[in-house]
Amino acid sequence: MSNAVYPGSFDPVTYGHIDVIKRASHLFDTLTVSILNNGAKTPLFSVDERVNMLLDVCRDIPNVKVDSFSGLTAKYVQENHFDVIIRGLRAVTDFEYELQMAQTNRKLAPEADTVFLTTSLEYAYLSSTTVKEVACYGGDISKFVPKSIEEMIHQKYELRSKNGK
Ligand code: PNS
């Protein structure tokens, strides 16, 4: 059995993430998509909201589970006996950070390897940050995220503007 984990912020999940999730789900027996609960960042969506988003977009992929974690990825990997860490690589600009992270994780959890999937070309430009920026100025994000996620993002920005944030 090969058990892979795809850790990330997923704030929010995009078509780029979904592409990586689908492709990784074909390569491993189980794939756990896991959201980092990062106290140092202020996300747009709570961990519970992001869990629900991921459950929704992964509902038709049978070997995908959704989870969340706090602290070090390497510790979470060891505690849950994952043998592979999945990360998506969009462009050369991702590479230095990803390489450093993979090498650090390998030092801390030598039993797990990081496997990089190159993002499909049509999503190479896409990031959660871009989606939030376009949405916050009222732009069309329908090409970046599924309809259900699009609605949640618009709702969030409407609530924020109503509350004067
Ligand atoms: O979706 P992201 O924000 O690019 O995901 C980054 C993530 C969550 C995978 C990374 O920040 C992470 O693993 N954080 C947990 C803390 C950790 O283990 N740091 C050491 C690796 S250098």
Side-chain angles (χ1 to χ4, degrees):
M1 281 283 280
S2 55
N3 299 314
V5 62
Y6 179 18
S9 306
F10 305 104
D11 184 42
V13 64
T14 68
Y15 278 133
H17 296 126
I18 296 169
D19 170 60
V20 170
I21 293 170
K22 283 187 180 153
R23 286 162 53 210
S25 75
H26 293 304
L27 298 174
F28 303 98
D29 295 306
T30 70
L31 173 70
T32 302
V33 184
S34 202
I35 299 153
L36 173 69
N37 189 355
N38 185 351
K41 276 191 189 172
T42 309
L44 180 61
F45 291 98
S46 70
V47 171
D48 283 350
E49 286 171 325
R50 283 177 277 161
V51 165
N52 287 330
M53 282 177 174
L54 279 161
L55 284 172
D56 181 43
V57 299
C58 297
R59 65 183 182 280
D60 295 327
I61 319 172
N63 60 337
V64 172
K65 299 175 196 169
V66 177
D67 193 16
S68 62
F69 70 103
S70 304
L72 284 176
T73 295
K75 189 161 178 270
Y76 172 69
V77 162
Q78 286 181 319
E79 284 169 358
N80 292 277
H81 309 289
F82 293 116
D83 5 70
V84 172
I85 301 169
I86 297 289
R87 294 287 292 165
L89 269 186
R90 286 168 302 194
V92 78
T93 41
D94 284 340
F95 185 73
E96 207 166 322
Y97 168 65
E98 291 296 337
L99 182 69
Q100 192 179 36
M101 200 157 62
Q103 286 174 338
T104 307
N105 285 335
R106 187 133 167 78
K107 274 278 174 219
L108 298 175
E111 58 278 43
D113 261 308
T114 297
V115 171
F116 294 110
L117 293 188
T118 51
T119 308
S120 297
L121 271 182
E122 68 232 75
Y123 305 124
Y125 63 93
L126 189 54
S127 72
S128 298
T129 307
T130 309
V131 173
K132 285 182 279 195
E133 176 134 354
V134 174
C136 109
Y137 291 110
D140 178 10
I141 53 168
S142 62
K143 289 193 173 69
F144 309 152
V145 297
K147 188 85 197 151
S148 59
I149 310 294
E150 189 186 341
E151 280 163 11
M152 289 178 74
I153 297 168
H154 285 315
Q155 220 175 17
K156 196 60 99 174
Y157 282 115
E158 267 165 37
L159 283 177
R160 283 192 157 198
S161 60
K162 268 187 206 151
N163 295 334
K165 281 188 198 163

